[in-house]
Amino acid sequence: MFELPDPDAPVVHVHTRAHGGLGTMSRRALDGRVHAGEVAPDDVFWFPGMPEWKEVRHHPELFDDLAPIGPPPSVLSDVMVELPGPRPPRPIETLDPDIIDAPGHTVASVGHPPSPTPPAEVLSLAEDPPLDLGEEQHTWLPDPTDEVPRDWNQLTPDADALVPTDTALGYDEESEEEAAPAFPKMPEDTRLDAIFTDLLEATWDYQEAHEFASCVDEVFLGAVITSALDAGRVLIDLSSDGTHHFLRFEHPEDSSRVLLRLTHLTGNLTTSRVQGHMASIVVGYGERVTGFGDIWARLSSEPRSGLVPRDQPGALVADGDVASQYVYVQVRLYLRIDDYVAPDWSIDHDRLRDHMTACVRALRVHLYGRLR
Amino acid sequence: MRDLISQFRHKADIHESRDEIVIGEVVRAMARLGYPSVSFRLQGEGQLVQFRAVGHPTLYAVHVVIDRPSGGGAVTRAMFGSQVTLRITAEARSRSTEAEALVRLARSAPHTERATAFNGDIRVEREVSSVLAHTSRAVDLDDHVGKGDNGTRMLVALLRTTIEALAVAIGRHEGLSD
């Protein structure tokens, strides 16, 4: 145990939950602050020679050699020694009925007289009506010498800590036995914990934005699948090469097929914030045809100088798949994914279905024209 | 155009696309529940599709793996009347910043809930800052494919029931519900 400083040596550093650091003071002054409710039992103190900050409630010896401010400090000492364990309930019938009935009095008091300069609100509380004393309230007896009954629960936000009930502390016999001791927490730790919390929350915010930016193409892909299935098609192929997503749908009734290649053009957060979420999408519509050989020959004989890119955006191009005997027409478009997928992940399915239907219809009309 | 067509040449028949058909139906059913797809990728022998559990009070994501059975001789037969196994995982992510809470969560032990009439075994475990609840469901394609709105509604109901069972299991594990 550490050696106590002189009762009047102003070397005790005190830090409270409610008001932060109070600076240095003597043990006697600290005693007065405790009695005034300005320092709660679970606030911490430190003075030279101590290895670490300690909670006031665990060190009644701080005040044992001091002349009592009011009644003997034994009551407060009892409180401090007994916390934080569960306090056995005091039968309500053992209370002095005169004290219970006193206006403004609450049994939930440490029973000490007011400090020499009590806060104004302490005195005003004398006018408050008595608290309802439920049978399950576990309280301490007030000191019968009290001249000005006070409700300590209302002195500070942490006043409960002065007169805790088993319920307020969340203790029960089982949890007390099972609970491991908490990691010691110093006053500075509260500030550091708040900083860490801010860092975590900023990380999650960024992660959320980044995740949306990087996977919005796959949200769109799922929306396209939903749209195609709603149009009566089934998904028969799904693949990705890391850059492009490929989808193929077939209509079970007429065997027509829709091909789709989706390329996310703004896959990182910075680019997407500047341009929005853009995608290049190639949509193809195809049908299995009879006389494929003739059609294939005709398509192959079309001029191909090599000067004009066949996949230029907006151009409708016809081609055939010899293996499956399908003839396709395709078009490449640029789409704003933002038009379909909102930042809150909601999807405008109706709009997408409309746009996909319009594309497929245009391609189908073109295919019929080419096959005629 | 050639590039696009050649992507799909390896399959010429719809009957060879059983897994993809199921994926499509699952994606649509999840969209009905309000959960958008966020990732498509192969995982082992199956296809993994991840969904964001938008608006769910507990869950962050739902992961569905469509098991791809090995061997290709029975694909056509499998297309009609065969069952496909969905491995479904619900994920809840901790957003606690309290040091004590984080320690308590990290020390929680995995547990398994026994199968009920409507769900297979549910196994709950913690991984990094997530809690995962896993289960499997057998889906008969005949019940859902080519059955119009009824087929979709049945799949939506199956997924909703399963996901909620997983969410409840996670809640129990984390002490969030009874």
Side-chain angles (χ1 to χ4, degrees), chain A residues 221-234:
Chain A
L221 200 68
V224 170
I225 292 172
T226 300
S227 169
L229 266 60
D230 285 345
R233 302 182 184 281
V234 294

Side-chain angles (χ1 to χ4, degrees), chain A residues 197 204 208 211 215 218-219 222 229-230 235-237 246-248 257 296 319-321 328 330 345, chain B residues 1-2 4-5 7-9 11-12 14 17 20-21 24 28 32 37-40 52 60 95 97:
Chain A
T197 296
W204 291 330
E208 177 75 8
E211 188 172 317
C215 73
E218 292 176 285
V219 176
L229 266 60
D230 285 345
L235 178 67
I236 60 172
D237 254 311
F246 300 94
L247 297 174
R248 183 168 64 162
R257 289 179 173 177
W296 175 247
D319 211 334
D321 179 11
Y328 291 94
Q330 73 167 24
W345 305 85
Chain B
M1 186 75 192
R2 305 299 310 169
L4 184 54
I5 292 174
Q7 283 295 323
F8 307 111
R9 272 192 176 165
K11 288 178 184 174
I14 188 174
S17 302
E20 287 79 4
I21 292 172
R28 176 165 61 165
R32 294 282 195 271
S37 59
V38 294
S39 175
F40 296 83
R52 189 68 180 266
Y60 173 80
R95 282 290 182 261
T97 62

Side-chain angles (χ1 to χ4, degrees), chain B residues 33-171:
Chain B
L33 293 172
Y35 302 153
S37 59
V38 294
S39 175
F40 296 83
R41 68 170 192 257
L42 291 174
Q43 186 183 68
E45 293 294 311
Q47 173 79 40
L48 167 65
V49 188
Q50 295 174 296
F51 300 89
R52 189 68 180 266
V54 177
H56 195 284
T58 307
L59 302 180
Y60 173 80
V62 177
H63 315 266
V64 180
V65 176
I66 293 90
D67 270 341
R68 190 190 302 271
S70 56
V75 283
T76 301
R77 185 177 66 248
M79 171 61 198
F80 299 99
S82 69
Q83 288 193 330
V84 173
T85 300
L86 301 182
R87 284 187 280 133
I88 304 172
T89 298
E91 176 187 359
R93 284 196 182 175
S94 168
R95 282 290 182 261
S96 175
T97 62
E98 272 262 326
E100 289 286 323
L102 292 173
V103 171
R104 190 169 59 252
L105 294 176
R107 291 164 62 94
S108 61
H111 80 272
T112 299
E113 295 187 2
R114 271 188 268 170
T116 67
F118 301 104
N119 284 295
D121 281 356
I122 295 177
R123 185 166 53 85
V124 185
E125 61 191 359
R126 169 164 288 280
E127 184 174 329
V128 195
S129 60
S130 293
V131 184
L132 304 173
H134 313 270
T135 193
S136 296
R137 299 300 304 267
V139 174
D140 195 323
L141 281 180
D142 278 351
D143 290 339
H144 306 290
V145 178
K147 293 293 189 289
D149 287 345
N150 278 343
T152 303
R153 273 198 291 269
M154 285 177 60
L155 187 58
V156 169
L158 181 146
L159 288 171
R160 176 187 286 123
T161 306
T162 304
I163 290 167
E164 281 314 305
L166 294 173
V168 168
I170 287 176

Side-chain angles (χ1 to χ4, degrees), chain A residues 87-334:
Chain A
R87 172 174 286 274
R90 173 112 184 212
I92 198 75
E93 56 270 24
T94 66
L95 299 176
D96 183 341
D98 292 339
I99 296 170
I100 295 174
D101 293 339
H105 180 79
T106 169
V107 178
S109 158
V110 292
H112 286 273
S115 64
T117 54
E121 60 267 35
V122 174
L123 297 174
S124 70
L125 292 173
E127 302 304 319
D128 291 344
L131 293 183
D132 179 31
L133 297 176
E135 290 186 358
E136 293 183 8
Q137 279 185 285
H138 301 166
T139 60
W140 282 264
L141 277 174
D143 192 303
T145 62
D146 265 359
E147 294 178 4
V148 183
R150 294 152 298 146
D151 184 349
W152 287 79
N153 282 320
Q154 298 181 40
L155 289 179
T156 71
D158 288 323
D160 279 345
L162 281 168
V163 192
T165 64
D166 293 349
T167 304
L169 282 175
Y171 290 125
D172 56 54
E173 292 182 3
E174 287 185 8
S175 65
E176 187 188 28
E177 289 173 4
E178 295 171 359
F183 192 83
K185 191 168 187 176
M186 300 298 109
E188 174 69 357
D189 292 346
T190 301
R191 188 180 69 83
L192 296 176
D193 286 350
I195 291 173
F196 184 63
T197 296
D198 289 344
L199 293 173
L200 280 181
E201 289 175 350
T203 298
W204 291 330
D205 288 345
Y206 177 80
Q207 166 71 10
E208 177 75 8
H210 179 77
E211 188 172 317
F212 181 82
S214 61
C215 73
V216 69
D217 57 326
E218 292 176 285
V219 176
F220 182 70
L221 200 68
V224 170
I225 292 172
T226 300
S227 169
L229 266 60
D230 285 345
R233 302 182 184 281
V234 294
L235 178 67
I236 60 172
D237 254 311
L238 168 68
S239 63
S240 175
D241 63 5
T243 304
H244 312 290
H245 302 291
F246 300 94
L247 297 174
R248 183 168 64 162
F249 303 94
E250 182 170 317
H251 201 293
E253 293 175 2
D254 62 12
S255 298
S256 64
R257 289 179 173 177
V258 172
L259 313 181
L260 189 137
R261 185 187 74 192
L262 174 70
T263 310
H264 193 190
L265 301 176
T266 52
N268 66 68
L269 187 56
T270 306
T271 312
S272 65
R273 280 182 171 168
V274 174
Q275 300 184 24
H277 291 287
M278 296 298 300
S280 165
I281 182 169
V282 179
V283 186
Y285 173 82
E287 293 185 5
R288 180 177 281 157
V289 296
T290 55
F292 178 82
D294 293 340
I295 296 170
W296 175 247
R298 197 191 327 153
L299 293 174
S300 301
S301 65
E302 292 180 347
R304 299 192 185 197
S305 67
L307 299 175
V308 180
R310 292 179 61 79
D311 65 344
Q312 58 181 295
L316 274 64
V317 182
D319 211 334
D321 179 11
V322 177
S324 62
Q325 306 278 293
Y326 271 74
V327 177
Y328 291 94
V329 172
Q330 73 167 24
V331 65
R332 181 176 162 203
L333 303 169
Y334 292 121

